[in-house]
Amino acid sequence: MRITMPRHAATTVVVPLTAVALFGLTACEKSGGDAEDTPSASASISAAADRADKNATPATDRQLSAVLIDGKDIPAGYGGGKVSNERTPDKPGEVVSPAACVALGSGGTSHPVGHAERSYAIAPGDPESDDSVRVSLSSAPRDVLQKQLDDGIKALGSCAHYTVTKGGDVTTFAVTDVKVGVRGKDSVSYKVAVSTNGRLLGTAVNTLVLRGTTGLAVTSFATPGKGDPADTGPFVGAQLSGLDRMPPDTGGSPSEPARPTAKPSATRSAESRTIPAADTLTAALLSAQEVPAQYSAEGPEPATPEDAPRLSDPRCAPLMDTSQDRRTAAVQQKYRKTTLDATVRPTEGVITELSSGRHEVLKREFDAYVAALEVCSSFSETNDDGTVDRYTITEVSVGRNGADTVAFRMRDDHPTDGRLYAYLVVAVKGDVAMQMASFAQTGPAEVPSEMIDGQLSKVAEIAG
């Protein structure tokens, strides 16, 4: 259970770097990975690529997961995170400008045949943090990947600056240091600085290599103040060597890939009940036809954990717990409140998150959440950049929307981003937890009663 403050949730729409998911070679949402390569290494890899069977069957999730580098294959001092086979969901409604740069901002193929990725950071750093290196492997028919790479390289030739706009959020990308052929003829690397609303979010370096029916994307990202992105040359070389050791497929199929470290799609408790999986939660989210006309639905998308917060009062930790280790699945949907003037950025909206897990776990977390609300009328969170969000909680109401529900208002004061108001409802129904946050920037957030009632009703149908 955690508070999903809309300011942070809105940021995640553009960070990680969705627009540089890059020509369909990776489902990863970060940008990065450049390397200064020796001519002999480039020549060797280029020759190997020429020998690759371009008509080979694309690798499965299981095969790609098996060759992701780890242990002795990664630079000393680095630790690897979990293997993920999750694809990047489609993101309709994004507008890339100028149009000639659409190959860079489209996000590429969202449904590769096979996909596996892992993040790495200097121990004891968090491998899933922004300041890390991510290695992604995606497989698809060779002609599909080749076209996407060629289109991307062409776009890099003319897109020194471009923007990606979605739902009023505008992200600006500044591209430099484009190098074609750094790892053979079907490769490219470049640096990109990413900012939103005039604020630098970070700098990334990308290396992309096409080998047969597999695309490799090595990404390195550094937030402001952390220096240049890490050198990813050793990661690129080690992973390309790993691809040469690709094992045969030992079972499963592209439509039902093995997911060695991902959570199961559904779990049964001791009473043999089925805990709702991600597709069930997604279907239970309010659709565009089920919300008031002034709202537009964005998503849905998987809900992902954030870094552990640094709070002024440890008693408030249950409110900001970002761990999803005990969740079977978690999904999120955003609903922007539109205006008649299309040039005006929306300043109000609603964010809903549904997650599933064993009822006894969800209920225990909910009780801790309510207990924290009773003592945390104000507290602060120190961000990675040193800024401090100061939260004020008022109007706590337990049971207002039924058993195991709590509603309250929150104000978030930030030294540069200004003030954000929110009205939140948290509920536990069976094996499903719901959190809905209505937010506004210009004044107290409205109580979206119709959406609250509608979402609770849909949750009750799947809660078990």
Side-chain angles (χ1 to χ4, degrees):
M1 209 76 66
R2 70 185 187 279
I3 289 176
T4 302
M5 283 308 293
R7 189 200 313 281
H8 297 163
T11 300
T12 62
V13 176
V14 294
V15 187
L17 312 179
T18 306
V20 277
L22 294 169
F23 327 154
L25 296 184
T26 171
C28 161
E29 288 193 348
K30 283 189 180 179
S31 163
D34 190 9
E36 294 293 338
D37 306 316
T38 62
S40 59
S42 295
S44 173
I45 293 167
S46 178
D50 289 338
R51 293 194 301 269
D53 181 3
K54 297 181 179 181
N55 296 317
T57 301
T60 64
D61 285 23
R62 177 181 282 106
Q63 291 173 283
L64 296 178
S65 297
V67 297
L68 267 176
I69 56 174
D70 204 354
K72 63 181 178 60
D73 295 323
I74 62 177
Y78 277 83
K82 294 181 179 180
V83 175
S84 172
N85 302 113
E86 297 301 320
R87 277 75 165 155
T88 299
D90 292 327
K91 294 184 178 294
E94 290 185 343
V95 178
V96 180
S97 180
C101 306
V102 69
L104 302 179
S106 64
T109 300
S110 59
H111 301 288
V113 174
H115 179 74
E117 63 182 50
R118 175 184 274 143
S119 292
Y120 309 83
I122 296 178
D126 175 12
E128 306 304 325
S129 68
D130 281 335
D131 299 290
S132 61
V133 176
R134 180 170 293 183
V135 175
S136 298
L137 297 171
S138 292
S139 65
R142 170 70 184 220
D143 57 344
V144 173
L145 296 183
Q146 186 72 63
K147 183 179 186 305
Q148 291 167 345
L149 178 63
D150 292 345
D151 289 347
I153 291 175
K154 180 179 178 181
L156 285 170
S158 60
C159 295
H161 292 84
Y162 65 97
T163 62
V164 176
T165 303
K166 182 176 180 181
D169 291 314
V170 181
T171 308
T172 301
F173 299 84
V175 176
T176 57
D177 298 340
V178 178
K179 302 170 186 176
V180 179
V182 293
R183 286 285 185 174
K185 66 183 182 66
D186 291 322
S187 66
V188 65
S189 72
Y190 65 94
K191 181 182 290 186
V192 59
V194 185
S195 60
T196 182
N197 300 325
R199 180 169 64 93
L200 180 66
L201 301 176
T203 304
V205 188
N206 271 338
T207 296
L208 302 170
V209 185
L210 177 54
R211 295 285 296 274
T213 57
T214 299
L216 165 65
V218 178
T219 72
S220 182
F221 183 77
T223 50
K226 297 296 180 67
D228 292 332
D231 175 19
T232 58
F235 291 89
V236 175
Q239 189 57 76
L240 286 172
S241 296
L243 286 176
D244 294 334
R245 304 188 298 270
M246 181 84 73
D249 188 22
T250 57
S253 67
S255 60
E256 296 179 338
R259 301 184 183 276
T261 60
K263 297 175 182 176
S265 60
T267 304
R268 292 186 181 273
S269 70
E271 294 79 18
S272 297
R273 66 179 182 270
T274 300
I275 296 177
D279 55 351
T280 302
L281 296 178
T282 300
L285 287 165
L286 293 176
S287 67
Q289 292 73 37
E290 295 173 315
V291 299
Q294 66 268 36
Y295 288 92
S296 60
E298 298 179 11
E301 59 189 17
T304 57
E306 302 171 1
D307 293 337
R310 291 177 288 172
L311 304 180
S312 60
D313 189 340
R315 297 178 301 171
C316 305
L319 302 179
M320 308 295 284
D321 178 15
T322 60
S323 172
Q324 291 184 350
D325 291 343
R326 296 177 296 277
R327 293 291 188 271
T328 297
V331 298
Q332 187 181 88
Q333 178 102 314
K334 301 177 182 68
Y335 306 89
R336 297 277 185 179
K337 192 171 184 180
T338 58
T339 64
L340 294 178
D341 186 350
T343 65
V344 176
R345 176 175 176 169
T347 59
E348 298 179 57
V350 171
I351 296 176
T352 299
E353 180 175 306
L354 301 181
S355 60
S356 60
R358 293 168 52 209
H359 173 73
E360 51 268 36
V361 173
L362 299 182
K363 181 62 165 65
R364 184 167 60 248
E365 292 181 351
F366 176 80
D367 291 341
Y369 194 93
V370 173
L373 285 172
E374 295 176 352
V375 296
C376 295
S377 59
S378 64
F379 63 99
S380 63
E381 175 188 5
T382 302
N383 304 306
D384 290 341
D385 61 2
T387 58
V388 177
D389 283 279
R390 302 187 183 280
Y391 301 107
T392 304
I393 293 176
T394 58
E395 300 181 33
V396 178
S397 178
V398 180
R400 175 173 179 173
N401 300 103
D404 293 330
T405 69
V406 63
F408 59 98
R409 289 190 177 276
M410 172 176 276
R411 193 184 74 203
D412 176 2
D413 290 289
H414 189 276
T416 58
D417 294 343
R419 178 169 290 179
L420 186 71
Y421 301 86
Y423 179 85
L424 297 100
V425 176
V426 176
V428 169
K429 302 294 181 184
D431 296 327
V432 179
M434 181 201 90
Q435 181 173 256
M436 182 177 289
S438 170
F439 67 92
Q441 294 174 279
T442 57
E446 69 175 41
V447 179
S449 300
E450 182 179 343
M451 296 178 71
I452 295 170
D453 292 343
Q455 189 61 80
L456 284 173
S457 177
K458 297 192 72 172
V459 166
E461 294 176 0
I462 64 169

